[in-house]
Amino acid sequence: MRILGIETSCDETGIAVYDSELGLLSHTLFSQVGIHAEFGGVVPELASRDHVRKTIPLIKAALLEANCSAADIHGVAYTAGPGLIGALLVGAMVGQSIGFAWNVPAIPVHHMEGHLLAPMLEKGAPAFPFLALLVSGGHTQLIKVEKIGSYEILGESLDDAVGEAFDKTAKLLGLGYPGGAALAALAEKGRSDRFYFPRPMIDRPGLDFSFSGIKTFAVNAVARAGNDEATRADIARAFQDAVVETLTIKCRRALELTGLKRLVVAGGVGANLALRENLKIMTAKNNAEVYFPRHEFCTDNGAMIAYAGCQRLLAGHKNNLSVKVHPRWEMQAIEA
Ligand code: KG4
Ligand code: ZN
């Protein structure tokens, strides 16, 4: 089965062709970062308009790269939520229209399910069941995954998502938007023994997170110590150390509580090297294994949507021709 995947939930247009036998045949991506940078965040209307411009040309490019035509495609998968409503509507309209024109099913996909299944695109993909740490710009969740479609949220952030905390702290340090990767690069140059930021909620039982307080520590540190290059690097380091250790402690606790031995990390913050390193060490000590998608499939992409849509079609999901998107959408509400 060969599926065209369309991702337009936020500020990246991602298109891919995935084949259930041969694997990923092509993927293309256009990032709108340059369009939104001057506004310090994503401008929804500009995002929708650019998806309108890019989606069809990128689909053509992905088909060409996969060396296939419309006749070779058995279904179209598009992100139906969560995300920006206008941006989602572009992908949904294009997906449903292509499905109708090519007479193949068009399948709505949950964006976070896409992220969660992204490690399945790699060689040596994890077997079910597993624990998933989803860390993106809008979500921080620990999820027990029994099988595709069976997702139990064990814990989540009560306030800011990790990616959001990275982005806000990066902005404070003058690193632009989205600044997660830039903050991580700056942290590499910083000292870990100059500032100490708290590890929120680790002494409370349970698996929930809170990241809005760490940001306040960054604000106070800047006010106290100044904003020279070395200080900014030390603050970035203290912030990243605190976030990484907090996530690692909660992952270890979740593995212990569930008895699971496989941990899957997904979402944009999964690209963070310090987080990857710490989770590798922690899982090795606990006789568990950790799985990551390749760097480019941590952040938004079409490949994860094509993969998730393919699994849904293989599981017998049908098309209903309605263009319905869900700006807010709980993962537990997905049909199994
Ligand atoms: O998954 P994603 O592309 O979009 C959402 O679905 O939200 O995640 C984007 C988030 C942003 O907050 C970005 O700053 C963060 O992932 N991010 C990183 C890194 N690369 C991207 N955060 C920390 N370290 C990184 N290397
Ligand atoms: Zn995402």
Side-chain angles (χ1 to χ4, degrees):
M1 182 180 284
R2 196 168 286 188
I3 304 295
L4 175 71
I6 303 174
E7 155 62 37
T8 65
S9 67
C10 190
D11 58 348
E12 260 122 15
T13 317
I15 308 290
V17 178
Y18 175 81
D19 185 295
S20 54
E21 304 290 314
L22 304 172
L24 191 63
L25 299 183
S26 69
H27 66 101
T28 56
L29 185 93
F30 179 79
S31 168
Q32 301 176 358
V33 160
I35 294 173
H36 304 292
E38 64 174 298
F39 302 101
V42 178
V43 182
E45 183 58 23
L46 295 183
S48 319
R49 290 184 199 185
D50 199 63
H51 287 307
V52 170
R53 279 191 290 270
K54 299 294 180 347
T55 306
I56 303 285
L58 286 179
I59 289 174
K60 286 184 178 159
L63 289 174
L64 195 68
E65 193 191 322
N67 201 15
C68 63
S69 65
D72 304 313
I73 299 291
H74 304 110
V76 184
Y78 62 88
T79 304
L84 303 171
I85 189 158
L88 290 167
L89 278 168
V90 177
M93 281 305 305
V94 172
Q96 286 287 3
S97 307
I98 290 180
F100 185 72
W102 295 355
N103 199 22
V104 294
I107 299 294
V109 169
H110 192 290
H111 180 80
M112 300 314 291
E113 182 180 42
H115 273 304
L116 192 109
L117 298 178
M120 299 297 192
L121 289 160
E122 307 303 341
K123 285 200 183 79
F128 295 105
F130 57 74
L131 174 73
L133 173 70
L134 268 184
V135 274
S136 73
H139 290 77
T140 305
Q141 294 178 321
L142 274 165
I143 302 172
K144 184 176 175 186
V145 182
E146 285 288 348
K147 57 183 171 51
I148 288 177
S150 164
Y151 308 118
E152 184 190 344
I153 298 181
L154 304 173
E156 60 191 331
S157 178
L158 305 177
D159 41 56
D160 291 359
V162 190
E164 191 181 351
F166 262 96
D167 292 339
K168 286 179 177 169
T169 306
K171 207 171 191 172
L172 173 77
L173 297 175
L175 298 172
Y177 182 90
L183 190 149
L186 185 61
E188 290 302 312
K189 298 183 206 149
R191 276 168 45 187
S192 61
D193 58 355
R194 181 155 166 220
F195 299 102
Y196 183 84
F197 287 15
R199 279 62 172 151
M201 295 182 66
I202 52 167
D203 45 10
R204 276 200 235 168
L207 298 169
D208 286 334
F209 305 91
S210 163
F211 289 106
S212 67
I214 299 192
K215 192 182 65 206
T216 312
F217 264 76
V219 173
N220 293 342
V222 169
R224 225 179 38 237
N227 207 1
D228 61 276
E229 182 67 21
T231 303
R232 292 189 316 124
D234 294 343
I235 291 172
R237 177 64 185 263
F239 169 84
Q240 180 171 275
D241 284 353
V243 168
V244 166
E245 194 182 342
T246 304
L247 290 172
T248 305
I249 290 170
K250 289 287 164 88
C251 285
R252 187 180 64 216
R253 192 180 289 175
L255 288 171
E256 279 164 9
L257 288 172
T258 58
L260 292 169
K261 287 289 173 199
R262 285 177 289 271
L263 170 66
V264 162
V265 183
V269 185
N272 187 281
L273 294 177
L275 178 65
R276 287 179 175 237
E277 204 43 47
N278 272 263
L279 290 177
K280 276 185 202 156
I281 294 168
M282 181 276 285
T283 46
K285 273 191 200 153
N286 288 271
N287 293 321
E289 280 167 296
V290 64
Y291 300 82
F292 305 96
R294 79 192 77 161
H295 209 83
E296 62 191 317
F297 293 163
C298 284
T299 45
D300 292 351
N301 65 85
M304 66 186 195
I305 303 303
Y307 179 84
C310 186
Q311 302 313 311
R312 300 241 137 222
L313 269 178
L314 288 171
H317 280 233
K318 299 273 187 302
N319 184 22
N320 65 9
L321 276 181
S322 71
V323 179
K324 196 169 172 204
V325 296
H326 315 266
R328 289 177 170 270
W329 191 6
E330 294 298 327
M331 253 183 109
Q332 277 135 317
I334 313 179
E335 267 176 72

